[in-house]
Amino acid sequence: MRSRLATRSTRLVLAAAVVTALAATTACGPEDPSETGATAPSASTSSSGSVSAEGTGSGDNGGSEAGKGGTEAPTGDKSGYGQSCGTNDLDFTVTWEAQPISHYLVTAKAKSGITCYLDVNTPSVSFGSGADGVASPVGQGGEDPIKLSGSSVAYAGINVKTTEGEGGKQFENVIIATSEDDPDPAEVELPDAPTVDKPIVTNWSTKRGEVIPRIV
């Protein structure tokens, strides 16, 4: 009887030991994450980050290139800049000045949107089509070249009669050109109808006081 009890006790102890071992194994669980269904961190995350960074970089480069392109693009319309003034580039007015001696003052101004230079120092001035109506240059004043743009102006002075006596012809208009060979001279109305005889003209100048025509 004692032998059976000892055998049964031994079996119970062994059974308890097996149960305990099984319980411990279940509690610890597998170390391999794939056996538990958990997802391990993948390399594609950092790879995606790398691709994203490269994409941003290329976008920045694109913006930089676009910026460079923008700087190199022409800014504004420069048509007419640096050209010589033709007569048709300018507006002319003629006024009568009484002091210090009587003379006619020619004012030249560039038309809207025009920037040009008076390369020829002396204007071509004449009254009528005859040779006796051509004004002779007296060489007064003079800046070469004169830039005309916006509100800037150039002046020239005309003395229509340099002779004594009653000779001469009356004219209501004066013909002005920036050079003798200009194909498109301007005909400008005078403020009165003066008698013209051996007229003279000064050079262009930006100072009115330099264009008072005198016979030297």
Side-chain angles (χ1 to χ4, degrees):
M1 184 71 178
R2 180 178 300 170
S3 175
R4 289 181 181 175
L5 289 174
T7 303
R8 184 178 296 178
S9 297
T10 302
R11 288 178 181 173
L12 287 174
V13 169
L14 288 174
V18 170
V19 170
T20 303
L22 287 175
T25 303
T26 306
C28 289
E31 290 182 0
D32 187 353
S34 60
E35 294 182 6
T36 62
T39 306
S42 73
S44 63
T45 307
S46 59
S47 176
S48 299
S50 173
V51 169
S52 173
E54 287 174 6
T56 307
S58 66
D60 289 342
N61 290 338
S64 172
E65 292 300 321
K68 287 179 186 175
T71 11
E72 291 170 3
T75 53
D77 182 14
K78 292 186 178 179
S79 59
Y81 182 81
Q83 68 183 19
S84 296
C85 295
T87 303
N88 58 358
D89 293 323
L90 307 176
D91 289 323
F92 299 93
T93 57
V94 179
T95 55
W96 184 73
E97 303 289 324
Q99 299 297 330
I101 61 171
S102 61
H103 65 285
Y104 290 90
L105 181 70
V106 180
T107 303
K109 180 180 179 182
K111 292 179 179 178
S112 177
I114 296 290
T115 295
C116 62
Y117 291 83
L118 286 169
D119 294 327
V120 178
N121 211 342
T122 308
S124 173
V125 171
S126 61
F127 298 86
S129 55
D132 57 347
V134 177
S136 302
V138 291
Q140 292 169 237
E143 299 169 40
D144 190 14
I146 296 174
K147 179 182 177 180
L148 293 180
S149 179
S151 60
S152 59
V153 296
Y155 302 104
I158 303 171
N159 186 343
V160 296
K161 185 172 171 61
T162 59
T163 60
E164 301 293 336
E166 310 236 343
K169 298 177 184 176
Q170 282 191 309
F171 291 92
E172 295 181 348
N173 299 290
V174 59
I175 299 168
I176 304 173
T178 55
S179 63
E180 291 181 359
D181 56 356
D182 194 305
D184 191 18
E187 187 168 1
V188 184
E189 185 177 1
L190 294 164
D192 52 12
T195 299
V196 177
D197 192 20
K198 297 189 181 302
I200 59 174
V201 61
T202 70
N203 295 334
W204 292 113
S205 176
T206 56
K207 303 175 180 68
R208 295 175 57 142
E210 292 184 353
V211 296
I212 299 164
R214 295 182 175 92
I215 299 175
V216 179

